[in-house]
Amino acid sequence: MRLSKAWIVASKEFKTFTKRKTILYSSFYFEGVVSIGLPFVIRYIAGKTAGAVALPILLSAFSFLFVIGASLLPVTIASYSLVGEKVQKSLEPLLATPTTDEEILAGKSIAAFLPAIAINLIGALIFTTLVDLFTHNTLNSYYFPNWDIVIVVLLLGPLACLLAVGYNVLISSRVNDVRAAQQLGALILLPFVAVYVLSETRVFDLTTNNLLIMAAILAAVDVVVFFLAKATFQREEILTKWK
Amino acid sequence: MNMIEVKNLTKKFGEITAVDNLTFQVAEGEVFGLLGPNGAGKTTTIRMLCCLISRTSGDARIAGYQLGNGADSLAIRKLIGLVPDNVGLYEELSAYENLDYYGKLYECPEAQRKERIEYFLKMLELWDKKDAPVSDFSKGMKQKVAIARALIHDPRLLFFDEPTANLDPESARVVREFILKLKKEGKTIFINTHNLDEAQRICDRIGILKTKLLTVNSPEELEKRVWGSRTAIQVEKMNNRILAAVKKLKPKSLSVEENRIILTLADPQRENPDFVKAVISAGGRIQYVTELTAGLEETYLKVIEETK
């Protein structure tokens, strides 16, 4: 596989995103709410009398929202990249070029992965900075950075993002319009939302160990989904079986 | 040298045979047209030859490269250009960006890429709109961009799948003239089309496909082979004496339409004078004698009809 070819595909996708306002808006919406909106909620809680007790639990759960963010962002991007190509019927001329299936798939995956991770990382930086600013007086220390946020943003986030990309490739072979792809793609969030809810309700603690176990499980699932996506993204399949 | 060599090529989708036992060759610089009804396997044939889908059995070579061999498939895709039936352009990108993207995928060096994009966009009268999104273009303009895209890497062999379908007559003419220009430049061209007039004007040879390849020939030869050589003799007034005199010479077939006798002859150049003489001897006053041409449409319909 030639990475230069994959990068050509990815660069074209980046160019497309900048011209599609809906992708831009939907990419920044969730991250904006989490990274800028939530710290103000935390600031409000920090001002309450029981703030020092409640904050660590809340912050641990809120941090996990960056895993949800990492899996949400590629849903929009990948659905436009794959199903959009299908809708515009541009796959046939693309597949007729001297580019392998792997190179095209890698290019499209890079195009969904990199912006999602970058936006998530920037969001996490803003979030942690604002939270530290707002909670320092209440907690008498800086809550961030800590190992949990490092694992969430640099390990679980990318793994969740990869899962979302692979899952979207699988969905793309079955749907015909971008909106349907996004709706079905959003189902990938469910397990992560479930973990978030369980952590908020104290059924499940997001300890460092638990986060690492989750990362190991996610990595294994990623491998399975990667091979399924690779098997789905075959030019003959795309031209004759993708509906 | 043959640019395309196809031998017993077959494609099945499950139990359905889309293309059955195709054998034909296309010489370098030739324009070959594939005609056939919907679902005849024309697009499947192009897709196999462009290495987009695999073959079930048989063999094919493009410029000597073997179809179905991984390394050869990449080499084949480098030397071909495809204009599919759906233009498949990136609507939000400009014509320039679309061509630039494909130029990169076809591994054209930057200087050559820029030069060719400018050349094609100017030649196709799209240079002024090079930065406008393709979504603003008419169907004809999009088709022009799709053709330029297929030519960006200067391919030796071009595949056109219904190049003028859904185009208005003026745009269709521009596309046709462009294909004729490519023909003059010596490109090998393979066209799938429903447009028989177009096939007759552009193609050196045509094949009629209905899952199987029913026949391959030049449009003129095909017509002769299907209809035979036909002569029409128009007389001032038809009567039984004239008819009897003509019948006496035993033509391959004979039909009469009002005052016109239509004959199918084995060797018209040798036989025509005898028939003319017979009509005159029977008292007929000949208004004109002409060679009858059926046209590709009638020929095509007859070939397809014979398979039913």
Side-chain angles (χ1 to χ4, degrees):
Chain A
M1 192 182 77
R2 295 158 298 180
L3 271 177
S4 60
K5 274 291 176 81
W7 188 250
I8 293 170
V9 175
S11 303
K12 178 247 146 200
E13 299 298 332
F14 295 145
K15 197 174 277 180
T16 307
F17 303 154
T18 58
K19 298 195 180 196
R20 277 193 184 263
K21 299 277 182 286
T22 42
I23 301 180
L24 284 178
Y25 295 151
S26 52
S27 299
F28 289 107
Y29 182 72
F30 179 83
E31 287 293 324
V33 169
V34 173
S35 56
I36 299 166
L38 271 186
F40 284 93
V41 176
I42 290 161
R43 185 187 180 194
Y44 172 78
I45 294 165
K48 299 278 174 190
T49 42
V53 183
L55 275 178
I57 301 158
L58 267 181
L59 289 175
S60 167
F62 283 172
S63 303
F64 195 76
L65 288 174
F66 288 98
V67 178
I68 296 176
S71 57
L72 175 66
L73 291 171
V75 170
T76 315
I77 299 172
S79 56
Y80 271 104
S81 170
L82 290 158
V83 183
E85 191 110 37
K86 205 161 138 182
V87 171
Q88 297 192 51
K89 299 188 188 305
S90 49
L91 278 167
E92 190 167 355
L94 174 64
L95 294 169
T97 63
T99 314
T100 64
D101 300 347
E102 290 82 7
E103 286 158 358
I104 295 171
L105 182 60
K108 293 201 170 282
S109 302
I110 290 168
F113 181 82
L114 284 186
I117 290 302
I119 292 167
N120 206 42
L121 209 60
I122 293 166
L125 272 173
I126 296 169
F127 174 78
T128 51
T129 308
L130 288 177
V131 165
D132 276 347
L133 206 68
F134 295 153
T135 60
H136 179 246
N137 284 342
T138 312
L139 297 174
N140 292 320
S141 66
Y142 290 113
Y143 186 80
F144 295 118
N146 59 32
W147 278 112
D148 290 359
I149 194 77
V150 170
I151 292 167
V152 161
V153 175
L154 298 182
L155 188 62
L156 272 170
L159 287 170
C161 187
L162 279 178
L163 180 66
V165 172
Y167 174 67
N168 262 276
V169 174
L170 296 177
I171 285 174
S172 301
S173 65
R174 294 281 170 264
V175 296
N176 264 331
D177 74 286
V178 174
R179 218 165 267 194
Q182 286 174 349
Q183 283 162 358
L184 282 171
L187 293 177
I188 197 69
L189 301 178
L190 287 180
F192 302 117
V193 171
V195 170
Y196 173 76
V197 172
L198 291 175
S199 70
E200 282 279 28
T201 51
R202 306 298 310 273
V203 175
F204 180 80
D205 282 333
L206 291 171
T207 60
T208 309
N209 273 349
N210 284 343
L211 290 174
L212 286 171
I213 290 167
M214 250 190 287
I217 294 168
L218 208 47
V221 176
D222 275 354
V223 171
V224 174
V225 172
F226 168 77
F227 281 107
L228 287 174
K230 196 167 170 279
T232 307
F233 202 85
Q234 304 287 329
R235 62 191 62 215
E236 182 147 5
E237 287 263 322
I238 293 166
L239 289 172
T240 60
K241 292 186 184 161
W242 279 31
K243 299 290 174 220
Chain B
M1 179 202 164
N2 282 332
M3 181 60 85
I4 305 175
E5 283 181 52
V6 174
K7 199 175 174 190
N8 304 325
L9 193 66
T10 298
K11 178 68 186 177
K12 290 183 179 182
F13 294 107
E15 294 296 304
I16 299 162
T17 304
V19 170
D20 191 12
N21 218 22
L22 238 61
T23 298
F24 65 89
Q25 295 84 35
V26 179
E28 188 158 16
E30 187 181 9
V31 180
F32 185 88
L34 200 56
L35 307 179
N38 288 332
K42 301 190 297 294
T43 299
T44 302
T45 304
I46 277 196
R47 284 179 171 178
M48 278 194 282
L49 297 178
C50 291
C51 308
L52 291 171
I53 58 174
S54 63
R55 66 197 194 282
T56 306
S57 63
D59 191 25
R61 285 178 178 272
I62 307 283
Y65 293 108
Q66 175 100 41
L67 219 71
N69 175 320
D72 280 7
S73 292
L74 276 183
I76 290 170
R77 289 205 290 264
K78 265 185 197 173
L79 61 87
I80 63 167
L82 168 68
V83 182
D85 53 348
N86 287 298
V87 289
L89 295 167
Y90 299 106
E91 299 272 323
E92 56 283 314
L93 299 185
S94 68
Y96 195 98
E97 286 167 333
N98 267 281
L99 297 182
D100 191 48
Y101 175 49
Y102 275 86
K104 285 176 185 167
L105 289 174
Y106 278 111
E107 299 158 28
C108 300
E110 193 178 353
Q112 187 200 334
R113 203 167 67 232
K114 283 182 174 169
E115 191 186 305
R116 287 184 71 78
I117 293 172
E118 187 174 341
Y119 168 74
F120 284 120
L121 289 180
K122 280 184 175 166
M123 194 177 67
L124 294 165
E125 294 167 0
L126 292 170
W127 184 248
D128 291 344
K129 294 181 183 276
K130 69 180 167 70
D131 296 321
V134 166
S135 55
D136 292 350
F137 284 13
S138 68
K139 271 186 185 172
M141 289 158 80
K142 285 180 186 174
Q143 187 71 332
K144 285 181 188 176
V145 179
I147 293 174
R149 178 185 62 195
L151 287 162
I152 198 73
H153 57 302
D154 196 17
R156 287 167 64 192
L157 170 60
L158 277 156
F159 288 95
F160 287 89
D161 197 357
E162 306 288 353
T164 56
N166 308 317
L167 292 185
D168 61 73
E170 200 188 334
S171 303
R173 189 172 56 84
V174 172
V175 168
R176 236 179 349 251
E177 280 171 1
F178 191 66
I179 295 172
L180 284 169
K181 190 175 178 297
L182 294 170
K183 180 182 175 176
K184 275 186 193 156
E185 285 174 13
K187 301 273 185 208
T188 310
I189 299 171
F190 188 106
I191 303 180
N192 277 354
T193 184
H194 280 304
N195 189 329
L196 303 172
D197 176 52
E198 180 175 282
Q200 193 151 22
R201 282 197 230 177
I202 296 175
C203 302
D204 298 317
R205 284 192 308 144
I206 54 166
I208 299 181
L209 181 74
K210 196 178 171 189
T211 309
K212 287 172 185 278
L213 195 58
L214 304 175
T215 183
V216 178
N217 225 321
S218 70
E220 298 76 25
E221 285 301 315
L222 183 65
E223 192 186 317
K224 271 190 191 158
R225 201 175 65 70
V226 171
W227 294 102
S229 292
R230 295 190 301 167
T231 300
I233 302 173
Q234 175 83 26
V235 293
E236 200 176 75
K237 197 168 185 345
M238 178 62 70
N239 62 44
N240 287 339
R241 233 179 111 205
I242 297 170
L243 209 57
V246 169
K247 273 183 184 168
K248 215 172 169 183
L249 293 173
K250 295 182 178 164
K252 278 170 80 178
S253 78
L254 166 69
S255 62
V256 177
E257 290 171 2
E258 293 188 16
N259 293 323
R260 200 157 75 135
I261 306 162
I262 296 167
L263 306 162
T264 305
L265 305 172
D267 185 355
Q269 286 188 350
R270 191 180 57 79
E271 293 174 84
N272 277 344
D274 297 335
F275 281 93
V276 169
K277 204 172 159 189
V279 172
I280 292 170
S281 301
R285 277 173 61 82
I286 295 175
Q287 289 176 320
Y288 62 79
V289 180
T290 184
E291 186 186 7
L292 269 191
T293 51
L296 190 55
E297 186 173 333
E298 273 184 75
T299 308
Y300 165 80
L301 291 172
K302 189 163 187 242
V303 172
I304 294 292
E305 189 63 33
E306 279 168 2
T307 64
K308 286 180 183 169

